[in-house]
Amino acid sequence: MHPAVEELIGIMSGLLPSINLPYHLHEPTLDKTDEDAVVSCIREKYVSSVGSWVNKFESELAHIFQARHAVCVFNGTVALHALLHTLGIGRDDEVLCPALTFVGTANAISHSGATPHFVDCNAETLGVDADALRLYLNSIAIYRNGKLINKNTQRRIAALVVVHVLGHAADVDALQTVTDEYGLLLIEDAAEALGTLYKGKPVGARGKAGMVSFNGNKVITTGSGGALLTNDDHLAQHFRYVTSTAKLTHPWGFYHTEVGFNYRMPSLNAALGLSQLKKLPYLLEKKRNLAAIYAQAFNHSDYWGFIAEPSFSTSNYWLNAIKLKTPMREIVESGLEQLSQQQFYCRPLWTAMHHLPMYIHCPRGPLPITESLEQQVINLPSSPNLLNVIIKANEHYACH
Ligand SMILES: *Cc1c(COP(=O)(O)O)cnc(C)c1O
């Protein structure tokens, strides 16, 4: 076994007691209050989209994200898809996004009819690198009839989707400066970033709009779910209209004015979301404390560095991650293999988008940092309840 792998196994098994194996990457925190919330929704018989649950969930989300509007849909991917559609982005457009992201980001761009155009990330923040982006746009973008055009493909470049990777804020201000310079819309994929602050304010609705996900493995879950976040009244209104079949309000008639989507979040999911949100401060605290324990455990490692929050980010530490100091795919793979044999179900970072068959031919800038991180990062078990497991184990050892 490579000494880097040996050290990794040593640290993980020292930290997480073997009596509680296996350890998964991120489990939902569900309790009796969540059960009660779903049951009461069923008793009210408004399990689908009628009733007050969704409205209430939306207004609490808007408050948490400090956004004028939150509009719920049934997952994060369709939130991004419908957002791009509502903004008039589609065929013949390109949308910039990081190559280092979950496939949902690029899929949503494709679903809108646009072409994803991949850019590099910053080694510290894992988010889109503003300086690299500016340099790249300088080399490929020209203006024609007031539009920003990719001179290699002749398509319009319409927007930049930034991703707050693993719950660490991307440098939104620096990115906003670049998108303003080039007249691009700034959109935030905050799927992983509920509770993350950038310079003290929530991420998600800082640019034109953003979205969040409530999938089962995210910070809170509605089973499946997502929401648009925006301060733009007209955009929120039109998004709501389009995601609920574009039907004119009428007591009995069916009249639809455009091709709409049936993307609305059911009440059942919103009921679960409301009870989950009550736990958010508790979950965030547990997650940050768990991150501090991991950070300390890897502090003296010769081979691995803990990925800590950037200076401007108060991260939710959705997934804790470590980075092999010298990129070597074989070591990361052998580490994952050994961890998995010991029932620590860790994960690598995603395969970069330009390495996936459907996105191989998409336009892209230079991606040195993305390709290096792809061979360096391991995500560690990050469920909030692990903090209690570790504390209990330490008390146990202290007693003996
Ligand atoms: C989870 C996730 C999504 C998609 O959200 P779903 O609710 O699973 O559709 C999109 N982007 C990123 C970065 C994600 O982590």
Side-chain angles (χ1 to χ4, degrees), residues 111-400:
H111 294 156
S112 78
T115 303
H117 183 155
F118 303 117
V119 293
D120 208 9
C121 59
N122 179 283
E124 309 307 321
T125 70
L126 311 179
V128 172
D129 187 290
D131 293 334
L133 177 67
R134 182 184 285 108
L135 265 178
Y136 178 58
L137 285 175
N138 247 327
S139 72
I140 62 134
I142 50 167
Y143 288 98
R144 194 180 296 145
N145 304 326
K147 285 180 183 170
L148 191 70
I149 305 289
N150 176 348
K151 68 181 179 198
N152 301 321
T153 62
Q154 301 302 317
R155 285 188 291 244
R156 173 175 80 134
I157 305 175
L160 166 70
V161 178
V162 303
V163 180
H164 303 295
V165 176
L166 308 183
H168 299 297
D171 193 352
V172 192
D173 283 350
L175 289 160
Q176 179 100 60
T177 307
V178 180
T179 53
D180 286 351
E181 268 168 43
Y182 284 90
L184 291 166
L185 293 173
L186 177 67
I187 294 168
E188 289 174 81
D189 179 339
E192 306 171 357
L194 171 61
T196 294
L197 308 178
Y198 174 77
K199 298 183 182 170
K201 275 190 66 185
V203 296
R206 312 202 38 134
K208 183 71 177 171
M211 41 63 72
V212 61
S213 164
F214 310 114
N215 190 32
N217 63 352
K218 298 282 158 66
V219 177
I220 68 153
T221 185
T222 60
S224 176
L228 167 82
L229 308 161
T230 187
N231 293 311
D232 182 324
D233 298 344
H234 178 75
L235 176 63
Q237 188 192 5
H238 199 75
F239 178 95
R240 186 183 295 284
Y241 182 70
V242 165
T243 51
S244 44
T245 73
K247 181 181 175 295
L248 286 184
T249 314
H250 190 277
W252 58 81
F254 289 96
Y255 194 78
H256 309 262
T257 57
E258 60 183 287
V259 181
F261 305 103
N262 181 14
Y263 280 178
R264 291 290 282 150
M265 175 183 278
S267 297
L268 267 178
N269 304 67
L272 180 55
L274 278 164
S275 72
Q276 286 269 292
L277 270 190
K278 292 209 174 71
K279 292 187 254 293
L280 182 63
Y282 164 87
L283 295 175
L284 290 174
E285 190 193 317
K286 296 267 172 224
K287 290 181 72 59
R288 287 185 61 84
N289 289 340
L290 179 62
I293 289 174
Y294 275 131
Q296 198 185 12
F298 283 94
N299 199 10
H300 298 295
S301 166
D302 293 327
Y303 302 99
W304 306 92
F306 180 75
I307 298 184
E309 61 194 4
S311 56
F312 45 67
S313 175
T314 309
S315 303
N316 65 9
Y317 283 100
W318 171 54
L319 289 186
N320 291 286
I322 49 168
K323 189 160 102 176
L324 189 62
K325 289 180 181 171
T326 320
M328 266 185 85
R329 183 180 293 277
E330 309 79 64
I331 295 181
V332 166
E333 265 166 23
S334 147
L336 287 163
E337 173 74 43
Q338 293 296 328
L339 285 166
S340 154
Q341 269 178 27
Q342 318 242 352
Q343 299 184 60
F344 296 105
Y345 297 114
C346 299
R347 291 275 184 282
L349 218 42
W350 313 281
T351 301
M353 293 302 105
H354 64 296
H355 290 148
L356 300 176
M358 62 287 193
Y359 294 130
I360 274 179
H361 299 294
C362 287
R364 61 176 196 251
L367 300 169
I369 305 297
T370 300
E371 297 199 330
S372 163
L373 286 170
E374 224 185 345
Q375 303 179 38
Q376 284 176 286
V377 176
I378 292 183
N379 292 319
L380 304 173
S382 299
S383 309
N385 73 313
L386 291 187
L387 187 74
N388 304 347
V389 169
I390 292 172
I391 290 170
K392 230 183 237 156
N394 282 327
E395 281 167 359
H396 179 81
Y397 294 132
C399 295
H400 285 72

